[in-house]
């Protein structure tokens, strides 16, 4: 699903009558003074809310002012919480279901990272798509990146492959076409379809990994445009000014009228194929629409949803649950709508100050999935929001659930407060819980010995809040177990110096924790500061060599969380060292690949 960049810009042009040249990405300029639209901080949201703000995406250095920001153009998920968010120039990856995102090419100048070759002007990414395979190890991840050149007016498909926990883009093109390639589909693990949306031209390969011979299908529909394509079994459906439908995985096609008379921007099938949704929108006058189909796109309903903003993207999670979203970045307007009855009725689920261009779903654990909404602000920064949903996968055996998933505690400085949450195994297989991590002023009674949870059994964890400084703390409590499940409870603690006249002076203490530990690539480093101070957080190997400096500078009091990607480091023991003045905290971590 891809709603910005060349493809979506063309869609908007066709719908609102604007000049195509006026809307091309390479002609968009950053405002001289960034707008004052609010970008929420990631640590200001809690799991009590249906949506949390997960990340702000920056493509390149803020000092490279001639470069665009991170405008999302595509989303793809593979296995075990791995998902990929493509922007115009690079790809962001999450390894934990959408909680932490890292840029696979984070450092300027372009192409400086040895593991990823960025797409820079005049080349732009138009979409990203995962090859559907059942093997879950990262090495089997294969993603297709469609791109186009604004100078050569051609397009290319590149492969993003998994190697262990890292991902590497092939240095050469997998497929090159004399057209801008703007959307991609894989009806099965061997068949690939690449569409040149501006010309409605279709290319097909029926041997994805065995050769690079692509057939140019004899379906060139002049005067039309394609925005997006989706598959369900043998059916492939492309939408835009018209609809192109194939019932044989893209070998033959027929052209039909679009679901809406103004055209369609995006389409999504539920995994079963029982429900499909198509949405669209135009900028002038601003409006959006959505229709549904219950017969694989053979026929479409009347408009089930009409909005005052253009709808850019749609996602059917299953036969009943679905989302659609859009907005206008220049107006700091973005909305996500939700259905729980298969598209018959829709309700507003999220309002933000960024235009939402991508929706996706990624499984975080056997119990939960995360719905991902990504978009961009008026100054071209990207933003990612996450909705945490209980959707158990009982076929996996282990299904761990925390009740509640957020606990709140309050105590005076020097005092204590306690709360409990339950960890239950709602699956069919046994699981061994070895620890519940805590940090800062939080402590728990788990686990002197590992706890075996059989099917339908539960355990109670008591968390004690013992603050020594007047502040508000927010810390993730993570349940460590042998099934590799990521189960997280948010602990929020509030203090009040006024509650005690004899409150002691603020002590000079630091707190540092690492998760996961052991881990295989991406580590989250959480630390708490009792007061604003100059700090340094760095990683060292067993020889004392500094392998990374995560952050350095002055930071406010409170809890902070940063990520360290160790994919280029050798397996072994490392030490995270937090330094603040004369105070020092060290946390050992183990990297296992």
């Amino acid at each position: 699903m891809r709603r910005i960049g060349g493809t979506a810009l063309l869609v908007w042009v066709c719908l609102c009558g604007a000049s195509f040249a006026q809307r091309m990405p390479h002609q968009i300029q950053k405002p001289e003074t960034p707008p004052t639209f609010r970008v929420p901080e990631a640590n200001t949201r809690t799991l009590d809310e249906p949506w949390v703000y997960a990340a702000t995406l920056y493509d390149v250095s803020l000092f490279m002012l001639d470069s665009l920001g991170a405008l999302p153009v595509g989303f793809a998920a593979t296995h075990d919480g791995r998902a990929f968010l493509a922007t115009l120039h690079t790809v962001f990856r999450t390894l934990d279901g959408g909680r932490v995102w890292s840029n696979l090419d984070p450092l300027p100048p372009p192409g400086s990272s040895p593991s990823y070759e960025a797409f820079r002007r005049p080349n732009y990414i138009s979409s990203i798509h995962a090859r559907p395979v059942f093997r879950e190890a990262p090495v089997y991840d294969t993603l297709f990146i469609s791109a186009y050149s604004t100078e050569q007016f051609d397009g290319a498909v590149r492969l993003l492959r998994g190697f262990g926990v890292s991902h590497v883009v092939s240095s050469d093109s997998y497929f090159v076409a004399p057209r801008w390639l703007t959307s991609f589909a894989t009806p099965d693990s061997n068949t690939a379809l690449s569409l040149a949306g501006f010309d409605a031209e279709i290319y097909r390969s029926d041997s994805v990994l065995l050769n690079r011979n692509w057939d140019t299908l004899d379906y060139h529909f002049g005067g039309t445009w394609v925005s997006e394509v989706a598959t369900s079994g043998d059916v492939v459906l492309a939408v835009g000014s018209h609809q192109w439908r194939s019932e044989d995985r893209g070998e033959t096609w027929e052209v039909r009228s679009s679901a809406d008379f103004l055209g369609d921007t995006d389409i999504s099938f539920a995994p079963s194929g029982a429900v499909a949704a198509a949405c669209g929108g135009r900028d002038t006058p601003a409006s959006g629409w959505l229709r549904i189909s219950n017969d694989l796109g053979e026929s479409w309903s009347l408009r089930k949803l009409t909005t005052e903003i253009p709808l850019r993207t749609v996602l059917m999670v299953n036969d009943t649950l679905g989302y659609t979203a859009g907005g206008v970045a220049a107006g700091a307007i973005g909305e996500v709508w939700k259905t729980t009855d298969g598209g018959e009725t829709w309700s507003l689920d999220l309002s933000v100050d960024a235009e939402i261009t991508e929706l996706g779903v990624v499984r975080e654990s056997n119990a939960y999935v995360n719905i991902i909404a990504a978009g961009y602000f008026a100054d071209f920064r990207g933003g990612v929001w996450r909705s945490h949903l209980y959707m158990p996968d009982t076929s996996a055996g282990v299904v761990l659930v925390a009740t509640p998933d957020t606990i709140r505690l309050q105590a005076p400085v020097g005092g204590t407060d306690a709360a409990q949450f339950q960890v239950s195994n709602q699956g069919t297989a046994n699981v061994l819980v070895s620890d519940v991590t805590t940090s800062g002023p939080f402590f728990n009674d788990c686990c002197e010995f590992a706890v075996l949870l059989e099917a339908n059994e539960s355990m109670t964890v008591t968390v004690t809040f013992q603050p020594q400084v007047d502040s508000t703390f927010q810390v993730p409590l993570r349940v460590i177990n042998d099934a590799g499940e990521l189960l997280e409870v948010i602990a929020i603690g509030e203090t009040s110096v006024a509650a005690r006249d004899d409150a002691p002076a603020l002590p000079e203490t630091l707190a540092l924790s690492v998760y996961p530990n052991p881990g295989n690539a991406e580590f989250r480093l959480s630390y708490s500061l009792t007061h604003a101070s100059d700090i340094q957080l760095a990683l060292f190997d067993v020889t004392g060599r500094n392998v990374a400096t995560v952050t350095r500078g002055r930071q406010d009091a409170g809890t902070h969380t940063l990520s360290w990607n160790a994919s280029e480091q050798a397996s072994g023991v490392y030490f995270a060292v937090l330094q603040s003045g004369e105070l020092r905290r060290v946390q050992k971590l183990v990297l296992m690949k």
Side-chain angles (χ1 to χ4, degrees), residues 210-408:
L210 297 181
N211 63 57
R212 301 186 179 188
N213 297 322
W214 288 66
D215 299 324
T216 303
L217 303 185
D218 190 21
Y219 296 96
H220 181 95
F221 308 108
T224 61
W225 48 267
V226 178
S227 176
E228 190 54 275
V229 60
T231 64
S232 179
D234 293 336
V235 174
V236 184
L237 193 59
V239 299
S241 60
H242 296 68
Q243 285 192 1
W244 295 263
R245 193 172 189 275
S246 171
E247 296 185 352
D248 51 15
R249 305 195 178 204
E251 287 195 38
T252 60
W253 296 76
E254 61 176 322
V255 61
R256 302 180 175 188
S257 298
S258 58
D260 197 276
F261 66 95
L262 289 175
D264 305 315
T265 304
D266 194 19
I267 181 173
S268 175
F269 285 106
S272 70
V275 181
C279 71
R282 58 181 176 180
D283 292 346
T284 308
S287 62
W289 52 84
L290 180 142
R291 299 173 185 265
I292 64 170
S293 172
N294 298 116
D295 53 12
L296 294 173
E298 286 279 1
S299 61
W300 293 87
S301 69
L302 299 175
R303 290 182 176 181
K304 296 294 185 179
L305 173 65
T306 301
T307 62
E308 296 181 353
I309 61 166
L311 293 178
R312 311 297 193 191
T313 179
V314 63
L315 169 70
M316 290 304 302
V317 179
N318 53 39
D319 291 352
T320 57
L321 178 63
Y323 297 83
T324 186
V328 180
I333 300 173
E335 295 177 352
V336 177
W337 293 74
K338 178 180 179 180
T339 180
T340 57
D341 57 9
E344 291 295 327
T345 60
W346 296 79
S347 60
L348 184 62
D349 203 45
L350 174 68
S351 294
V352 296
D353 42 11
E355 179 176 325
I356 303 299
T357 58
E358 287 298 323
L359 290 170
V361 58
V362 55
R363 180 160 287 281
E364 179 185 281
S365 68
N366 294 342
Y368 295 97
V369 299
N370 285 324
I371 307 299
I372 304 298
Y376 69 105
F377 299 92
D379 60 356
F380 302 116
R381 289 171 296 178
V384 180
W385 289 261
R386 173 177 57 87
S387 180
H388 193 57
L389 301 181
Y390 176 64
M391 194 175 293
D393 177 12
T394 55
S395 65
V398 176
V399 179
L400 287 183
V401 176
T403 308
D405 60 10
T406 301
I407 57 175
R408 296 180 181 273

Side-chain angles (χ1 to χ4, degrees), residues 130-146:
R131 177 175 178 244
V133 293
F134 294 105
R135 296 179 178 181
E136 298 184 1
V139 69
Y140 298 111
D141 286 351
T142 301
L143 296 103
F144 302 90
I145 299 176
S146 293

Side-chain angles (χ1 to χ4, degrees), residues 12 80 83 101 107 118 136 189 208-209 214 271 309 482 487:
W12 299 342
D80 293 338
W101 293 84
L107 300 176
E136 298 184 1
S189 61
V208 168
L209 297 180
W214 288 66
I309 61 166
D482 63 346
L487 184 63

Side-chain angles (χ1 to χ4, degrees), residues 440-441 466-469 473 505-512 527-531 533 558 578 580 583-585:
Q466 191 172 356
Q468 300 299 323
V469 58
F473 300 87
L506 301 182
E508 297 290 330
T509 59
L510 293 173
L512 173 64
Y527 55 96
S528 298
L529 306 177
T530 61
H531 60 277
S533 57
L578 176 66
S580 175
L583 299 176
R584 193 170 188 242
R585 289 293 180 268

Side-chain angles (χ1 to χ4, degrees), residues 64 79 85 89 114 123 130 148 313 318 368 436 463 508 539 550 573 577 593:
M64 299 178 65
H79 298 282
L85 185 61
H89 298 295
N123 299 306
Y148 58 93
T313 179
N318 53 39
Y368 295 97
V436 176
V463 179
E508 297 290 330
L539 279 299
V550 181
V573 175
V577 179
K593 293 186 176 181

Side-chain angles (χ1 to χ4, degrees), residues 71-85:
L71 280 64
V73 298
F75 179 92
T78 54
H79 298 282
D80 293 338
R82 300 189 300 276
F84 302 79
L85 185 61

